[in-house]
């Protein structure tokens, strides 16, 4: 596929995105149809699924020219660029009573990515923690074959005791990667290339042995389309220069539908996988003792593969295994098992009436259970007898992070608190008396104390009470005129929790409001809450998001002319579904890397994996098909309707949610939507699902996105 870069032009022009009517490039149409249960569905832009199709390429070039024309109207480009840059000027100062962590608990090495303007590529640098000078470990130009390609460094695993590092490297943001191993004492590369892995592949060390997962090599030209299959766990010995990877475990499901994952801790390999018995799939946990020369994962627990069932190992102490589960406890509890007694569990910490989010080791003999209750994190600290040692209530509207300590000998540890309106701040916890204090102070170029996060509730379409974070100035006047950005995700049980974005911080500094509803499908209220917005109940998540917009308008936070919605990936599906169902409610939509053709989502890359089949279902099932079609954004565009001004963002090499979703959706939106609305596309070149890889590409995308946002909200820079 030919790459093209959408440049941000810096000269003056018209000062608004608005005009009477837009003349959009017309996409060619073909007489393509798909039949589902005797119903014929037209799909005239299906050829766009082929990234090398000449018709698609010509249309994309025309769309690029259209977007460049919009960029010429950005008369305040330099103001926006300067103001976003100012937001990054955060000063951190250690407090007077800051206690330095014992050096033996500090990481030995540091790595960082560095943009090389001379070669036009990203390098990976490293250094010893106590040294000043960085050394080049990987030169990006040695990975790429042309200047148009971009390097992505995925998962990185450092073996501190052996001075080794394993790095997953991909090109142009693809999830497909290769692994390389380096000696950090010399910077030299070992003669191994780990093939057919993913950027998210878990690279785990045990001494000089590396464990990793890889897949069957994808067919050439199908890397952006086909589901990864035949996942296998391998072990590679670094002691032998000619060693071949040894397969340890092969996924019994070769279709790629059912996944498995693993981790290694304290010489134990924990394998979370699936088994098939008489045609039924079950979840299983197996454990292998790596101290044994010839180890074999032995089955420890087997349990139903049901949507509302979670069972995961959180800590192993001797023969005792501590597990977090939702079995018989939708809000979560902790179980205790013995390594030598398979399938026997006892209750260790009971279920409470608040949601258990995390169970974490805290030093030698404690467990920290982190709960969430009405926008507030609560930490309950237990000893290994199950006795409560301390309860800590953290501020509402903020998030507790890093509240763990894996080292048995540590006397202190650090944790942080994040917020929607200020950068992460760090604290120090004494592991003996469980007292904590700030370990640093921060200062930013705006008044943190003038802002707050409110935690409100509203009623959704079916009467369900939904909570929402609203971050704004404490003195905000509720007169219906405030610019509001409403962000949503609502899938996979993932909770959008308080975290800071510098660009969003600029919106708040300009008097804007950030609203984040905790809709069903997310994990804000436990596993049942996630299930209530999944598969056949996906419309609940969309209704909850729409109801959040109605609440903001009804309570005079804003109006439809001042309300912009934004989401990425599943969140992009959410906001476009909301926009096609209630277009009059929103001024504009920013949707990045989203799936919009839900009748064909399961046919490409990870869309057919069990995780996504659970989340959305499959159009091969009649009930699922009718449900998917009812909210699929592509299939719910109405001829002549005025839709919110729309900015679609995608990477042209995204192989998790292929960019043809954005192409097909835009083509139909421009064809049928009222041409007085602005519907356009920003393509990030050489970019995968994680976003831009080159600094300039990333800066350009952020600037274009936030200029569009500020224009739509009427914010004067």
């Amino acid at each position: 596929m030919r790459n093209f870069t959408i440049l941000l032009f810096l000269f003056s022009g018209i000062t608004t995105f608005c005009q009477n009517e837009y003349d959009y490039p017309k996409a060619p149409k073909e007489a393509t149809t798909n039949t589902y249960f005797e119903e014929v569905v037209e799909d005239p832009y299906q050829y766009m699924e082929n990234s090398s199709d000449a018709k698609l390429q010509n249309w994309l070039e025309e769309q690029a020219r259209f977007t460049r024309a919009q960029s010429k109207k950005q008369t305040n480009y330099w103001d926006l660029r300067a103001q976003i840059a100012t937001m990054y000027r955060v000063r951190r100062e250690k407090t007077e009573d800051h206690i330095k962590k014992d050096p033996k608990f500090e990481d030995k090495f540091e790595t960082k990515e560095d943009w090389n303007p001379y070669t036009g590529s990203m390098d990976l640098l490293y250094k010893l923690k106590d040294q000043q000078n960085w050394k080049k470990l990987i030169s990006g130009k040695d990975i790429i074959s042309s200047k148009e390609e971009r390097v992505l460094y995925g998962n990185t695993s450092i073996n501190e005791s052996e001075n080794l590092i394993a790095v997953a490297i991909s090109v142009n943001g693809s999830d497909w990667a290769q692994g390389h191993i380096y000696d950090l004492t010399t910077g030299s590369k070992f003669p191994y290339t780990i093939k057919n892995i993913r950027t998210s592949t878990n690279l785990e060390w045990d001494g000089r042995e590396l464990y990793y997962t890889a897949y069957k090599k994808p067919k050439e030209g199908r890397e952006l389309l086909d589901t990864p299959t035949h996942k296998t766990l391998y072990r590679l010995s670094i002691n032998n220069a000619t060693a071949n990877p040894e397969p340890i475990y092969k996924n019994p499901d070769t279709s790629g539908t059912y996944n498995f994952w693993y981790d290694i801790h304290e010489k134990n390999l924990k394998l979370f996988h699936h088994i098939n018995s008489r045609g039924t799939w079950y979840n299983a946990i197996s454990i292998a003792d790596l101290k044994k020369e010839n180890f074999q994962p032995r089955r420890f627990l087997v349990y139903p593969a049901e949507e509302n069932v979670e069972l995961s190992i959180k800590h192993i102490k001797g023969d005792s295994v501590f597990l977090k589960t939702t079995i018989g406890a939708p809000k979560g509890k902790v179980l205790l098992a013995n390594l030598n007694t398979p399938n026997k569990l006892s209750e260790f910490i009971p279920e409470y009436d608040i949601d258990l989010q995390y169970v974490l080791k805290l030093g030698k003999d404690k467990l920290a259970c982190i709960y969430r209750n009405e926008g507030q994190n609560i930490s309950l600290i237990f000893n290994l007898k199950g006795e409560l040692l301390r309860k800590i209530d953290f501020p509402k509207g903020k998030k507790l992070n890093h509240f763990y300590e894996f080292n048995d000998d540590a006397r202190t540890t650090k944790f942080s608190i994040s917020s929607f309106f200020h950068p992460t701040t760090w604290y120090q916890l004494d592991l003996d008396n469980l007292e904590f204090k700030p370990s640093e102070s921060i200062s930013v170029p705006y008044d943190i104390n003038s802002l707050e996060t409110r935690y409100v509730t509203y009623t959704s379409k079916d009467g369900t009470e939904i909570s929402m974070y609203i971050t704004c100035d404490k003195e905000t006047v509720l007169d219906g005129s405030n610019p509001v950005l409403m962000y949503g995700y609502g899938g996979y049980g993932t909770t959008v929790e308080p975290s800071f974005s510098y660009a969003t911080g600029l919106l708040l500094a300009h008097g804007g409001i950030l609203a984040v509803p905790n809709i069903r499908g997310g994990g804000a209220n436990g596993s049942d809450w996630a299930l209530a917005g999944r598969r056949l109940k996906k419309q609940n998540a969309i209704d909850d998001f729409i109801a959040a917009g109605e609440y903001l308008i009804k309570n005079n936070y804003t109006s439809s002319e001042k309300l912009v919605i934004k989401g990425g990936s599943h969140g992009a599906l959410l906001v476009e579904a909301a926009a096609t169902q209630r277009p009059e409610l929103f001024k504009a939509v920013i949707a990045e890397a989203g799936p919009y053709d839900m009748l064909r989502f399961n046919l490409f890359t990870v869309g057919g994996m069990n995780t996504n089949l659970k989340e959305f279902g499959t159009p091969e099932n009649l009930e699922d098909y009718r449900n998917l079609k009812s909210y699929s954004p592509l299939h719910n565009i109405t001829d002549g309707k005025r839709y919110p001004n729309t900015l679609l963002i995608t990477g042209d090499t995204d192989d998790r949610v292929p960019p043809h979703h954005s192409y097909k959706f835009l083509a139909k939106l421009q064809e049928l939507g009222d041409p007085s609305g602005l519907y356009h596309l920003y393509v990030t070149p050489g970019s995968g699902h994680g976003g831009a890889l080159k600094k300039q590409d990333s800066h350009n995308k952020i600037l274009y996105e936030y200029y569009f946002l500020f224009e739509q909200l009427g914010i004067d820079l």
Side-chain angles (χ1 to χ4, degrees):
M1 178 175 181
R2 294 197 302 269
N3 289 325
F4 62 95
T5 304
I6 299 175
L7 302 175
L8 287 175
F9 286 74
L10 309 182
F11 45 85
S12 300
I14 304 171
T15 59
T16 177
F17 277 104
C18 299
Q19 63 183 44
N20 292 331
E21 190 170 295
Y22 293 94
D23 184 17
Y24 292 115
K26 287 183 170 53
K29 300 174 69 174
E30 295 183 347
T32 307
T33 61
N34 304 303
T35 302
Y36 304 91
F37 301 97
E38 299 182 355
E39 181 177 2
V40 178
V41 178
E42 294 183 354
D43 195 2
Y45 302 118
Q46 192 173 120
Y47 67 87
M48 292 184 173
E49 295 171 0
N50 177 7
S51 61
S52 61
D53 188 283
K55 298 186 295 298
L56 170 63
Q57 288 300 313
N58 292 334
W59 179 78
L60 286 174
E61 289 172 0
E62 291 178 349
Q63 292 295 333
R65 285 193 288 272
F66 181 86
T67 301
R68 285 197 294 269
Q70 301 308 309
S71 71
K72 293 177 183 179
K73 303 172 185 180
Q74 299 185 353
T75 57
N76 291 325
Y77 169 88
W78 288 108
D79 289 334
L80 178 61
R81 177 174 174 171
Q83 290 186 28
I84 288 181
T86 300
M87 296 298 294
Y88 284 84
R89 295 173 189 166
V90 177
R91 290 183 57 192
R92 295 182 179 271
E93 296 181 3
K94 290 181 172 57
T95 57
E96 291 183 5
D97 55 359
H98 171 81
I99 301 175
K100 189 175 181 179
K101 196 170 183 179
D102 189 327
K104 67 183 179 182
F105 301 135
E106 294 281 357
D107 292 334
K108 185 176 177 181
F109 293 98
E110 285 184 280
T111 63
K112 72 173 182 178
E113 297 177 20
D114 182 63
W115 174 252
N116 190 327
Y118 301 104
T119 62
S121 63
M122 192 72 74
D123 297 335
L124 186 66
L125 309 183
Y126 76 104
K127 73 177 183 70
L128 284 165
K129 198 72 172 275
D130 58 356
Q131 293 182 351
Q132 295 297 318
N133 296 328
W134 291 88
K135 299 177 182 179
K136 185 184 295 185
L137 183 68
I138 304 174
S139 176
K141 71 179 179 61
D142 295 335
I143 306 296
I144 59 177
S145 56
S146 70
K147 289 186 177 180
E148 285 70 37
E149 292 184 337
R150 290 145 175 84
V151 175
L152 171 66
Y153 299 104
N155 273 2
T156 298
S157 179
I158 297 178
N159 184 333
E160 299 273 354
S161 61
E162 299 290 342
N163 301 324
L164 299 171
I165 184 172
V167 186
I169 305 173
S170 74
V171 175
N172 285 349
S174 171
D175 280 348
W176 286 107
Q178 288 189 346
H180 299 278
I181 303 169
Y182 297 84
D183 186 330
L184 291 175
T185 58
T186 63
S188 59
K189 181 179 177 296
F190 283 84
Y192 312 113
T193 298
I194 305 172
K195 299 179 180 180
N196 303 322
I197 65 172
R198 309 283 280 177
T199 52
S200 58
T201 290
N202 195 18
L203 304 165
E204 292 268 4
W205 290 101
D206 178 51
R208 295 183 67 84
E209 292 180 332
L210 179 69
Y211 292 80
Y212 65 91
T213 52
Y215 298 81
K216 182 180 179 181
K217 182 179 179 180
K219 293 181 181 178
E220 187 173 350
R222 299 287 302 179
E223 295 88 349
L224 301 184
L225 301 175
D226 288 346
T227 300
T229 62
H230 295 79
K231 186 175 183 179
T232 302
L233 173 63
Y234 291 94
R235 174 173 59 186
L236 178 64
S237 174
I238 311 303
N239 292 313
N240 188 343
T242 61
N244 291 316
E246 175 190 357
I248 299 300
Y249 175 79
K250 293 184 178 181
N251 194 344
D253 170 42
T254 58
S255 69
T257 301
Y258 290 91
N259 204 350
F260 75 86
W261 60 99
Y262 78 101
D263 64 43
I264 293 175
H265 185 60
E266 295 180 347
K267 291 291 182 178
N268 285 302
L269 184 147
K270 295 173 286 185
L271 183 66
F272 303 88
H273 57 118
H274 297 84
I275 59 172
N276 190 300
S277 177
R278 298 180 181 178
T280 300
W281 286 96
Y282 294 89
N283 292 328
I285 300 176
S286 296
I287 298 178
D289 185 348
L290 300 183
K291 295 190 294 292
K292 296 182 179 179
E293 184 174 347
N294 295 311
F295 77 93
Q296 181 67 31
R298 57 189 177 93
R299 200 165 296 160
F300 176 57
L301 292 172
V302 178
Y303 56 101
E306 297 174 0
E307 288 188 317
N308 60 343
V309 169
E310 176 199 345
L311 187 65
S312 56
I313 295 175
K314 296 305 178 183
H315 179 48
I316 298 177
K317 182 76 170 180
D319 291 334
S320 297
V321 183
F322 300 88
L323 306 102
K324 177 179 179 288
T325 188
T326 56
I327 296 176
K331 292 187 177 296
K333 64 181 178 181
V334 180
L335 300 176
L336 179 62
N338 189 288
L339 280 174
N340 303 310
T341 314
N343 286 315
K344 186 174 182 180
L345 301 168
S346 61
E347 186 174 88
F348 184 71
I349 298 171
E351 178 187 25
Y352 297 116
D353 61 355
I354 54 179
D355 294 305
L356 176 60
Q357 289 190 297
Y358 309 104
V359 178
L360 300 161
K361 178 183 177 183
L362 192 63
K364 182 179 181 179
D365 54 3
K366 300 179 182 69
L367 288 179
C369 293
I370 312 302
Y371 295 84
R372 186 180 185 276
N373 183 42
E374 297 184 349
Q376 180 183 27
N377 279 142
I378 298 169
S379 176
L380 299 184
I381 303 174
F382 297 87
N383 62 22
L384 297 187
K385 297 178 181 179
E387 298 168 338
L388 179 63
L389 303 178
R390 186 176 180 192
K391 175 188 176 188
I392 305 176
D393 296 299
F394 292 93
K396 183 170 284 194
K398 300 192 178 186
K399 182 178 183 297
L400 175 65
N401 311 287
H402 311 105
F403 202 82
Y404 61 84
E405 178 54 64
F406 294 142
N407 197 301
D408 284 348
D409 297 326
R411 302 295 297 274
T412 64
T413 193
K414 292 196 300 182
F415 67 88
S416 68
I417 292 177
S418 57
S419 162
F420 287 118
F421 60 87
H422 67 70
T424 297
T425 54
W426 287 88
Y427 295 79
Q428 188 157 278
L429 175 71
D430 187 305
L431 293 173
D432 292 326
N433 59 29
L434 300 179
E435 297 295 328
F436 64 93
K437 56 191 174 185
S439 63
E440 66 176 3
S441 61
I442 62 170
S443 60
V444 295
Y446 59 94
D447 184 7
I448 291 177
N449 295 323
S450 69
L451 298 168
E452 66 179 359
T453 294
R454 303 171 183 177
Y455 191 79
V456 303
T457 58
Y458 63 92
T459 303
S460 190
K461 182 178 180 178
D462 63 357
T464 301
E465 189 174 86
I466 314 295
S467 63
M468 177 163 55
Y469 295 111
I470 300 177
T471 302
C472 59
D473 192 284
K474 293 176 181 177
E475 304 301 323
T476 295
V477 178
L478 301 185
D479 59 2
S481 67
N482 300 297
V484 172
L485 173 64
M486 188 166 75
Y487 180 85
Y489 188 78
Y492 303 100
T494 299
T495 305
V496 181
E497 297 181 289
S499 63
F500 183 71
S501 159
Y502 292 98
T504 306
L506 183 62
L507 169 70
L508 297 171
H510 275 284
I513 295 174
L514 174 65
V516 181
N518 292 309
I519 63 178
R520 283 172 285 183
N525 295 322
S527 59
D528 286 348
W529 193 255
L531 289 173
R534 185 176 295 171
R535 200 168 182 171
L536 297 176
K537 299 178 181 178
K538 183 62 65 180
Q539 185 61 42
N540 284 341
I542 302 165
D543 289 341
D544 294 352
F545 192 75
I546 290 171
E550 293 172 334
Y551 171 91
L552 293 166
I553 294 170
K554 181 179 179 181
N555 288 273
N556 292 318
Y557 277 94
T558 191
S559 67
S560 292
E561 285 300 304
K562 291 279 191 175
L563 179 58
V564 175
I565 55 177
K566 177 182 176 183
S569 194
H570 184 283
L573 162 66
L574 169 75
V575 297
E576 288 298 2
T580 53
Q581 293 181 23
R582 289 291 303 278
E584 80 288 349
L585 191 62
F586 312 108
K587 175 64 180 292
V589 183
I590 300 173
E592 183 168 3
Y596 310 120
D597 181 354
M598 297 310 296
L599 297 186
R600 292 177 64 80
F601 175 62
N602 66 306
L603 299 180
F604 303 102
T605 63
V606 299
M609 285 188 170
N610 189 48
T611 302
N612 286 314
L613 295 178
K614 285 183 177 180
E615 187 68 32
F616 302 110
T618 170
E620 297 172 5
N621 173 283
L622 177 59
E623 195 174 18
D624 282 335
Y625 161 67
R626 290 171 175 168
N627 182 59
L628 287 164
K629 190 181 177 187
S630 72
Y631 69 81
S632 175
L634 180 70
H635 299 91
N636 285 279
I637 298 173
T638 303
D639 191 7
K641 184 165 288 188
R642 173 65 157 80
Y643 290 97
N645 295 331
T646 300
L647 173 59
L648 298 174
I649 302 172
T650 189
D652 61 5
T653 54
D654 187 346
D655 56 0
R656 199 174 312 170
V657 180
H660 65 246
H661 281 276
S662 296
Y663 303 158
K664 292 172 69 174
F665 182 70
L666 178 68
K668 189 171 182 180
L669 190 60
Q670 290 181 343
E671 175 198 356
L672 298 181
D674 185 328
S676 66
L678 172 61
Y679 321 121
H680 68 315
L681 172 72
Y682 189 102
V683 177
T684 311
S687 174
H689 200 65
L693 302 180
K694 282 188 176 180
K695 280 188 177 181
Q696 192 58 49
D697 292 339
S698 180
H699 293 167
N700 287 348
K701 182 184 84 73
I702 291 173
L703 287 167
Y704 193 91
E705 175 185 341
Y706 272 82
Y707 197 97
F708 174 80
L709 172 65
F710 279 37
E711 281 284 313
Q712 297 303 311
L713 291 176
I715 293 176
D716 186 2
L717 288 169

